[in-house]
Amino acid sequence: MAAIYWFARTADDLADEGNAAPDRRLADLAAFKDDLGAIAAGRLASPRWSAVFEPLGHAMSRFALPLAPFHDLLSAFTQDVTTTRYADRAALLDYCGRSANPIGRLLLHLYGVADAASLSRSDAICTALQLANFWQDLSVDTSRGRLYVPLADCARHGIAADDVLAHRDSPGVRAVVEDLVHWTGSLMASGAPLVHDLPGRAGWELRLVIQGGRRILHKIERMNFATLQARPRLNALDAPVMLWRAACMRAGSTPMASKPT
């Protein structure tokens, strides 16, 4: 898990962090992809990211990790460099399918879970977690010139994308965030039964991950969906609520899908 994390963290930083020009970022990501190809073929990677690729090479060999999810992640990180707006929800889901879902699928692979229903639920959870992060970070991402609110949703609520990017709060902006939060909650609910299919600690960790995502959605609702103005955060007081709700996730129960809980 640590090897997978550091691969994703490093590649994400190459795409997002620092002051490098886009061409430099794309070149670095291409070199990172070359090193991935090297270890997948049993060759040595370059020394530049040896702390990433040496442990990842061992993990790929020991656990027969599939290569496709790593390529999907790099595809999404490369897209981060070139794409700052999304036309509709389908385009956003395509991005999440490569930037978030591969992590869940790799973790399921480690636990030997590969059935279609579990993979679909994992995808729903991972996508919902990333979407929750987008709506939580609306003020942060727009300050960087990025807008994850789909343009079609902006148009449906009668707001201009440029107004969102300029931090012009309005009832329309809050309405579109509300709509997106409820959509995200529905996705999370559809994936939640996966917690009952994972063994032991993995299932309990996933319960807490889901409850963390739901708690963020709840906080966005409590602040009247004004995340263009402020970023909600989890704190120590949220832990007991998350633990209690994680313990109450029963097999066969029907979580609320229309609103965050």
Side-chain angles (χ1 to χ4, degrees):
M1 289 185 183
I4 292 169
Y5 171 82
W6 282 112
F7 172 89
R9 178 74 273 157
T10 304
D12 193 20
D13 286 348
L14 290 174
D16 284 338
E17 297 301 318
N19 299 314
D23 288 349
R24 179 71 265 166
R25 295 183 188 279
L26 293 173
D28 286 344
L29 286 166
F32 200 76
K33 182 178 180 181
D34 288 343
D35 277 353
L36 174 65
I39 64 165
R43 304 191 308 272
L44 290 175
S46 71
R48 183 176 180 184
W49 297 289
S50 59
V52 171
F53 287 107
E54 286 182 12
L56 183 61
H58 293 308
M60 292 183 75
S61 176
R62 179 180 177 186
F63 297 102
L65 294 176
L67 189 58
F70 294 99
H71 280 151
D72 286 344
L73 287 168
L74 289 180
S75 169
F77 296 144
T78 300
Q79 183 171 317
D80 282 336
V81 180
T82 59
T83 303
T84 58
R85 300 187 185 190
Y86 290 83
D88 50 33
R89 294 186 184 186
L92 193 59
L93 289 174
D94 174 72
Y95 171 75
C96 293
R98 290 174 288 116
S99 63
N101 298 4
I103 298 296
R105 288 183 170 237
L106 285 167
L107 295 182
L108 287 187
H109 178 86
L110 292 176
Y111 285 101
V113 177
D115 62 281
S118 294
L119 291 173
S120 177
R121 287 168 175 167
S122 174
D123 289 348
I125 292 168
C126 290
T127 289
L129 288 170
Q130 181 153 51
L131 292 175
N133 182 248
F134 289 156
W135 319 142
Q136 176 190 22
D137 283 351
L138 186 60
S139 64
V140 177
D141 290 330
T142 50
S143 294
R144 297 175 176 175
R146 288 189 175 179
L147 182 63
Y148 292 103
V149 176
L151 300 181
D153 285 85
C154 290
R156 185 164 58 252
H157 286 272
I159 59 175
D162 287 342
D163 286 340
V164 184
L165 287 165
H167 289 197
R168 297 189 185 103
D169 196 15
S170 69
V173 170
R174 297 191 185 196
V176 74
V177 174
E178 179 179 7
D179 194 6
L180 293 168
V181 163
H182 292 169
W183 171 48
T184 302
S186 296
L187 282 172
M188 188 79 78
S190 71
L194 180 62
V195 302
H196 307 296
D197 299 329
L198 295 185
R201 177 177 173 178
W204 281 98
E205 288 178 345
L206 183 58
R207 288 169 186 247
L208 287 171
V209 167
I210 289 172
Q211 293 306 326
R214 285 179 169 167
R215 193 66 179 160
I216 285 295
L217 296 178
H218 174 73
K219 289 195 168 212
I220 294 173
E221 182 177 31
R222 288 290 299 272
M223 62 187 292
N224 196 25
F225 308 99
T227 53
L228 191 59
Q229 299 302 309
R231 182 183 186 274
R233 298 175 183 270
L234 296 179
N235 56 52
L237 295 178
D238 295 305
V241 177
M242 291 165 55
L243 286 166
W244 173 253
R245 290 181 175 173
C248 291
M249 294 176 74
R250 306 294 184 188
S253 63
T254 304
M256 292 178 65
S258 61
K259 287 190 176 184
T261 57

